[in-house]
Amino acid sequence: MAAPTPTLLQPFTEDHEAFRRTVRAFCEQELAPHARAWDEAGEFPRELFRRFGELGYFGIRRDPAYGGSGLDYFHVVAYAEELVRSRNAGLNMGMLVQGEIAIPIIDEIGTDAQKREFLGPAIRGERIAALAISEPDAGSDVAAIRTTARRVGDDLVVNGAKTWITNGTRASFLTMAVRTGGEGHGGISLLLFPTDAKGFQVSRKLEKVGNASSDTALQYFEDCKVPARNLLGEENQGFQHIMANFQGERLAAAIVAVAGMQLMVEDAIRYGEERHAFGRPVARFQVWRHRLAEHLAAIEAARWLTYRAAALFDRREPAVKEISMAKLVSSELAQRVAYDCMQLHGGMGYVLETDIARAWRDVRLLTIGGGTSEIMKEIISRAAGL
């Protein structure tokens, strides 16, 4: 008998749910107990990349010929939703960058040789990957990047700088945007850049408000020579691939935002039932019952908006508008949910021994990273013909 086909109203089959249970057990048992310690240390163990690779989490959708599992996108949704139970947003970011942001484009347009050199080892967690697009003077405006890659014989010589690079201090290679042609979007290419190239330097690890355990780097490139065969896709055609890659990043952010909000509310309800004031549980006061009810309804709406975008993405149908809406709605809502859940905890919400305190500072990134809320509104308004 054939396995049931997922639908929008029931996107998860038993196979998805079985996979979800394994991810949840791993996160709760092996990761969550160390969450605060890793934040305090400012990093999580490098060995976790290999552990995630062994479990198959970096190759969920990837080609089995290179070590992937070839599964559908709702397996990624289940994975990302359960990953929040690690209680460590920096770890989650590092792992999602590895599996769902830095390497999908290699699977999409890379040559067999590139996939064997970069994709396969990244899927196994043997090589750490990072996406290097943003620069000190060019974030959302990708067409303005200045880092150059000049052809010299069979090599490309790279000069410039990149910033906000997650996994950037310990990446083995970068999936990198470089300027190989003239100004504007028509002169941009993608390059697979090994970080052992002479002239590459991590200037510093940036100190952030949240996501403390993830390494976010400022990088410099001075006459770095790499083989021209490392160009990913056609020369000067990288812009459209970067824009397409952004959709996976933004969708992952929406999924994590929704799952994170759900967990914050569940924690708040549990704490509110245990904490008594004026003779009754804090959660039983009308102000909190109604506030949490509003949030639960809004989270559910954001969840199904996100699932709709995920379904389109899984079918490779146009989804820029839907993904932008999902990221905008979920990331903005997360700010309010985190604030209120922290408020319900009272004084305990302000100390770092509680998960909500760290979650409150971590979610602030959601309206900034991967495209700001303002950029999402521009995309949506253009799609609406405004």
Side-chain angles (χ1 to χ4, degrees), residues 19-333:
F19 177 67
R20 178 192 298 279
R21 289 191 291 270
T22 65
V23 178
R24 177 178 294 197
F26 169 66
C27 290
E28 291 182 341
Q29 295 168 19
E30 297 190 35
L31 303 179
H34 309 285
R36 187 182 174 196
W38 291 337
D39 271 358
E40 290 175 349
E43 64 179 7
F44 56 84
R46 185 187 185 95
E47 298 75 38
L48 283 175
F49 284 96
R50 281 189 178 270
R51 180 71 174 125
F52 273 65
E54 291 168 356
L55 292 168
Y57 296 157
F58 296 143
I60 295 172
R61 289 190 301 146
R62 308 278 72 87
D63 189 340
Y66 304 97
S69 300
L71 300 173
D72 69 6
Y73 191 74
F74 276 95
H75 281 89
V76 175
V77 175
Y79 162 67
E81 287 180 336
E82 296 307 318
L83 195 56
V84 302
R85 294 180 182 273
S86 73
R87 306 283 184 166
N88 191 286
L91 167 71
N92 302 345
M93 180 188 295
M95 296 308 172
L96 286 169
V97 164
Q98 175 87 2
E100 295 301 321
I101 296 173
I103 68 172
I105 193 64
I106 308 174
D107 196 22
E108 291 283 334
I109 65 172
T111 64
D112 177 70
Q114 289 171 341
K115 292 177 183 180
R116 295 192 184 281
E117 183 177 356
F118 297 99
L119 179 63
I123 288 172
R124 296 190 295 272
E126 297 168 1
R127 301 188 74 177
I128 299 174
L131 182 70
I133 306 295
S134 295
E135 299 182 0
D137 296 319
S140 296
D141 186 7
V142 176
I145 69 165
R146 298 179 180 178
T147 297
T148 59
R150 178 173 52 89
R151 190 178 287 270
V152 179
D154 293 332
D155 295 319
L156 292 169
V157 179
V158 180
N159 284 279
K162 295 291 180 181
T163 194
W164 318 124
I165 310 305
T166 300
N167 295 345
T169 69
R170 49 187 178 182
S172 308
F173 72 90
L174 311 174
T175 303
M176 180 180 178
V178 292
R179 185 163 298 283
T180 49
E183 295 183 1
H185 61 80
I188 295 173
S189 299
L190 280 169
L191 177 67
L192 295 171
F193 181 93
T195 57
D196 59 2
K198 184 179 179 181
F200 171 77
Q201 177 186 2
V202 175
S203 174
R204 62 190 175 97
K205 177 181 176 181
L206 301 172
E207 294 187 34
K208 309 182 296 297
V209 171
N211 291 266
S213 71
S214 72
D215 62 304
T216 307
L218 173 61
Q219 304 169 331
Y220 285 108
F221 307 80
E222 184 176 358
D223 294 330
C224 299
K225 188 181 293 186
V226 299
R229 66 174 183 271
N230 284 12
L231 272 177
L232 188 58
E234 295 184 36
E235 188 170 344
N236 296 328
Q237 299 299 313
F239 183 81
Q240 62 186 15
H241 295 303
I242 294 168
M243 293 298 103
N245 200 65
F246 276 157
Q247 302 315 308
E249 179 177 359
R250 291 165 181 169
L251 184 52
I255 295 164
V256 168
V258 171
M261 287 188 284
Q262 185 71 43
L263 192 57
M264 283 187 278
V265 170
E266 290 173 3
D267 287 349
I269 291 172
R270 183 164 49 250
Y271 180 83
E273 291 291 346
E274 296 170 354
R275 171 68 171 165
H276 284 66
F278 305 102
R280 55 176 163 160
V282 171
R284 300 297 177 88
F285 285 86
Q286 186 183 67
V287 63
W288 285 118
R289 286 190 294 112
H290 287 190
R291 188 73 54 81
L292 292 171
E294 290 173 354
H295 286 327
L296 286 169
I299 292 167
E300 193 69 7
R303 175 179 291 110
W304 287 97
L305 177 61
T306 301
Y307 284 174
R308 166 64 174 162
L312 293 171
F313 189 75
D314 184 47
R315 297 198 299 265
R316 297 179 179 271
E317 296 181 16
V320 172
K321 178 185 70 175
E322 290 80 3
I323 289 173
S324 300
M325 287 179 170
K327 184 180 186 297
L328 174 65
V329 169
S330 61
S331 62
E332 291 287 341
L333 178 61

Side-chain angles (χ1 to χ4, degrees), residues 351-369:
V351 295
L352 291 176
E353 66 187 74
T354 56
D355 294 318
I356 187 58
R358 300 195 307 279
W360 170 75
R361 68 186 186 188
D362 293 337
V363 300
R364 189 62 190 86
L365 177 65
L366 291 172
T367 64
I368 301 171

